[in-house]
Amino acid sequence: MDREELSEPLSFFWGIPALVWQVLFFYVPLSFLISTSFVKYSQDLESSRVTFEYYLDLFRPVYGYIIGRSILLALTTVVVCFCIAYPVAYFLVLRTQRWKTLSFSLLVLPFWTNFLLLVYSWYFLLENDGLLNTLLLKIGLISSPLHIMNTKIAVYCGMFYCYLPFMLLPLYSTFTRLNPKLIEASQDLGATYWQTFFRITFPLTIPGIQTGALLVFVPAFGEFVIPALLGGDKNMYIGSVISHYFLTVRKVGLGSAFTCLCALILVGGLLAGALVTKLYSGRGRYGEK
Amino acid sequence: MEKSNWILSDVLGAIWVAVTYLFLYIPIFVLVVFSFNNAKFPYRWVGFTFKWYEELFVSSEIWAATQNSFFVGILAVFFSLFFSLLFVIWVSRSKKRKLFALFYPNLIVPEVVVSVGLLSLFVFLHVPLGLMSLVVTHTLLGMGYAIPIIQARYDALDYRIVEASLDLGATFSQTIVKIIIPALKPALISAALLVFIISLDDFILAFFCAGTSAQTLSLYIFAMIRTGVSPVVNALATLMLVVSSLLVFVFCSLQSRTRMW
């Protein structure tokens, strides 16, 4: 064994399983999905032809409403989860010394619990004879139970609850990587509380905010479990439409076109988001530990 | 003046943290409490009972679904960790680091999109849907998480130890088994736990790609919630919470040595 042999590349066979798997079950299906959105299949493959009609079918206001509603849902979820999670991560990491492992474990636990059970737990809070209504009736704020289940409010509650951990964890880990000496230095040099926050703490946690926003926005945009369980049948979101086309009515062509359109919108949105944060944080980043 | 600002913010912060923990845990607490409720219609407290747990333990459907979920989860962990480990070692040695980027989209493309893509391909090629198609998709999802975790640890590895082992006459495969894998152990365990939990938790991929015959725990819970709620689900939830608390405990004690995010 000599030095040359050490830097000698391993045989290509080592990488093959992962690469083949990835290409065969990720890139091929996605390409297939894109191609089915452009092809009108007939009984015999000979007379199948390329078509744009599925995409033309999508130019109807109802699809616009559905996509708009999903974007609104995902954006609201990102913003609300951020507003709840940011102060929590800030105080748990920077302002507390004790019980760190315990408080962190308690934050992680909901993330490791089956998603459906988290959604299900809201039945007990929001149903007509659930905890919330019982409490409000007892206090006397309302005289008859509020109908919250199967409305948009229930969907939003479920979304905030289920996606909070996805925002909390990346923020928590960015705060742990932040060097507290920078905050002390800023204090010593005479910055006020808010100056320190806006010029030191906040800019340094932007990467965590980006990760959190990404982890929440992407699945929230395609979410269909929470609307299906808490929202009743009235409110359609893109996830519900996709599953309707593929599993219920089996209009694969139209379903593929709709899926591709949504994916395109998602990619566009993510690129726009990346651009905005790049412009904002382009003013210089310093002092990561 | 400045000092009082900090104190005020600490007080408000403590309140905010407490409220958030309440928000996270009240629903879970209620869910657990109602698993002991002695009533079929589950939203009002009647009395204490263990009967839902008894019903849970005798239900063959739930145990079949649990077995299926564990089967898929364990195979997905095995394949995704094995493939990821080989891939990370190969890429790091052959300086083709750009290949890592091939796996980033697994985490960015929404699961609905991946699953309908796989579904239409499987149907088109007449691949039978079932537990094996779930193993395939969960392995794919798992690699998206396992590769970055293992790669981060591998990069932090002191390569001189590997060189020493080779210089002292160990073959490369001996070095992998005796040096590299033990050094990567915390990352491998974290990745295994994470992939397993993700597989167990997954609903969307299972909903689209499992076909009509295969039943996993998530699919079973979904069907139960949709068709008619029964406190048996609460009992199941309580048991699953106990299991995930144990896993979180293991994971967090590993976290103090390796960072995942």
Side-chain angles (χ1 to χ4, degrees):
Chain A
M1 285 280 161
D2 47 42
R3 295 277 141 181
E4 267 86 88
E5 194 149 338
L6 277 177
S7 53
E8 193 181 291
L10 286 167
S11 153
F12 180 60
F13 286 107
W14 288 64
I16 276 186
L19 285 175
V20 166
W21 208 273
Q22 179 74 3
V23 170
L24 205 60
F25 298 119
F26 189 82
Y27 289 104
V28 170
L30 287 190
S31 323
F32 183 74
L33 192 71
I34 295 171
S35 67
T36 43
S37 72
F38 285 110
V39 177
K40 185 157 187 90
Y41 286 104
S42 303
Q43 291 309 94
D44 53 319
L45 281 172
E46 296 289 304
S47 53
S48 299
R49 58 192 167 77
V50 173
T51 175
F52 290 100
E53 65 180 82
Y54 299 129
Y55 284 95
L56 294 175
D57 271 356
L58 293 178
F59 278 102
R60 277 195 272 151
V62 61
Y63 293 107
Y65 287 134
I66 290 166
I67 292 172
R69 199 180 292 145
S70 296
I71 292 175
L72 185 68
L73 179 72
L75 275 182
T76 317
T77 308
V78 169
V79 172
V80 171
C81 287
F82 169 76
C83 291
I84 301 174
Y86 195 86
V88 173
Y90 176 88
F91 284 98
L92 281 184
V93 180
L94 295 180
R95 307 299 299 164
T96 44
Q97 270 84 44
R98 283 191 290 170
W99 306 108
K100 282 218 164 163
T101 319
L102 181 70
S103 58
F104 180 72
S105 317
L106 284 176
L107 286 184
V108 191
L109 185 59
F111 184 73
W112 291 60
T113 310
N114 196 301
F115 206 66
L116 295 164
L117 296 175
L118 295 182
V119 180
Y120 175 58
S121 68
W122 281 81
Y123 278 57
F124 293 86
L125 300 182
L126 301 181
E127 273 289 354
N128 287 350
D129 49 358
L131 191 70
L132 186 69
N133 273 321
T134 317
L135 274 180
L136 289 178
L137 284 170
K138 275 236 169 83
I139 301 172
L141 272 177
I142 50 170
S143 50
S144 60
L146 301 170
H147 299 285
I148 307 175
M149 273 305 283
N150 299 332
T151 64
K152 273 188 190 168
I153 300 173
V155 176
Y156 275 87
C157 287
M159 292 292 285
F160 301 154
Y161 184 67
C162 291
Y163 283 103
L164 186 60
F166 290 82
M167 183 61 95
L168 266 172
L169 294 185
L171 284 178
Y172 191 94
S173 86
T174 340
F175 273 111
T176 50
R177 279 197 297 262
L178 188 140
N179 189 346
K181 283 186 188 138
L182 291 170
I183 294 172
E184 279 169 36
S186 140
Q187 295 293 304
D188 289 346
L189 295 170
T192 64
Y193 181 84
W194 288 110
Q195 278 175 331
T196 307
F197 179 76
F198 280 113
R199 299 176 76 165
I200 309 293
T201 319
F202 188 74
L204 285 176
T205 49
I206 284 176
I209 300 172
Q210 273 175 301
T211 313
L214 187 76
L215 286 179
V216 173
F217 188 82
V218 171
F221 184 62
E223 179 63 48
F224 91 108
V225 177
I226 296 174
L229 290 179
L230 294 175
D233 301 324
K234 281 167 293 176
N235 303 308
M236 293 284 265
Y237 293 88
I238 61 167
S240 358
V241 174
I242 293 173
S243 96
H244 178 74
Y245 279 134
F246 276 92
L247 296 178
T248 319
V249 296
R250 301 203 180 257
K251 285 184 179 169
V252 175
L254 196 57
S256 313
F258 185 72
T259 312
C260 293
L261 180 69
C262 294
L264 204 67
I265 291 170
L266 180 70
V267 170
L270 292 182
L271 287 179
L275 201 68
V276 169
T277 40
K278 194 166 187 182
L279 287 177
Y280 180 79
S281 59
R283 287 185 269 156
R285 207 179 278 164
Y286 37 83
E288 277 211 81
K289 196 161 64 178
Chain B
M1 187 61 208
E2 258 316 284
K3 187 103 183 156
S4 69
N5 249 342
W6 280 99
I7 293 168
L8 181 69
S9 88
D10 277 357
V11 171
L12 289 178
I15 296 171
W16 191 253
V17 169
V19 169
T20 306
Y21 275 107
L22 284 180
F23 175 64
L24 280 176
Y25 281 93
I26 284 179
I28 293 177
F29 177 74
V30 173
L31 192 67
V32 171
V33 166
F34 274 86
S35 71
F36 300 106
N37 189 19
N38 191 5
K40 183 82 191 167
F41 197 69
Y43 305 120
R44 197 170 289 148
W45 180 258
V46 177
F48 187 87
T49 182
F50 272 122
K51 71 176 174 194
W52 307 119
Y53 287 88
E54 286 164 25
E55 209 170 294
L56 175 72
F57 281 109
V58 296
S59 161
S60 55
E61 251 184 299
I62 292 181
W63 288 112
T66 311
Q67 277 175 9
N68 285 345
S69 280
F70 273 72
F71 173 78
V72 172
I74 289 168
L75 281 186
V77 167
F78 175 75
F79 284 127
S80 57
L81 249 64
F82 184 58
F83 294 168
S84 304
L85 183 65
L86 291 185
F87 184 74
V88 167
I89 294 175
W90 173 66
V91 167
S92 309
R93 294 251 304 181
S94 53
K95 316 261 180 318
K96 294 189 184 77
R97 301 189 65 89
K98 278 189 185 137
L99 283 174
F100 282 130
L102 271 178
F103 292 86
Y104 296 153
N106 294 23
L107 306 182
I108 298 173
V109 176
E111 271 178 58
V112 183
V113 177
V114 182
S115 39
V116 293
L118 278 161
L119 172 72
S120 40
L121 187 72
F122 284 159
V123 170
F124 184 74
L125 298 176
H126 300 290
V127 177
L129 298 175
L131 288 184
M132 285 327 279
S133 57
L134 275 189
V135 173
V136 165
T137 56
H138 287 182
T139 303
L140 182 78
L141 199 63
M143 287 197 302
Y145 290 90
I147 287 179
I149 297 177
I150 297 174
Q151 180 218 338
R153 182 79 190 181
Y154 191 86
D155 285 348
L157 200 89
D158 188 350
Y159 210 72
R160 285 172 299 181
I161 304 174
V162 178
E163 284 172 5
S165 155
L166 293 172
D167 280 346
L168 293 170
T171 63
F172 192 65
S173 44
Q174 279 175 327
T175 309
I176 285 180
V177 174
K178 295 206 164 156
I179 306 292
I180 295 181
I181 289 181
L184 293 178
K185 210 162 148 198
L188 289 174
I189 297 174
S190 307
L193 283 175
L194 195 67
V195 173
F196 187 71
I197 282 290
I198 285 166
S199 164
L200 207 60
D201 198 29
D202 165 69
F203 170 76
I204 295 177
L205 285 169
F207 189 64
F208 285 98
C209 301
T212 45
S213 57
Q215 181 86 297
T216 66
L217 217 43
S218 288
L219 291 174
Y220 182 79
I221 295 170
F222 185 76
M224 288 276 273
I225 299 176
R226 274 234 114 156
T227 51
V229 183
S230 153
V232 178
V233 181
N234 296 53
L236 181 65
T238 309
L239 280 188
M240 288 176 78
L241 271 169
V242 172
V243 173
S244 49
S245 315
L246 289 175
L247 289 180
V248 166
F249 178 74
V250 175
F251 187 77
C252 284
S253 46
L254 284 172
Q255 277 276 305
S256 48
R257 273 170 280 162
T258 43
R259 291 241 158 261
M260 181 199 123
W261 293 96

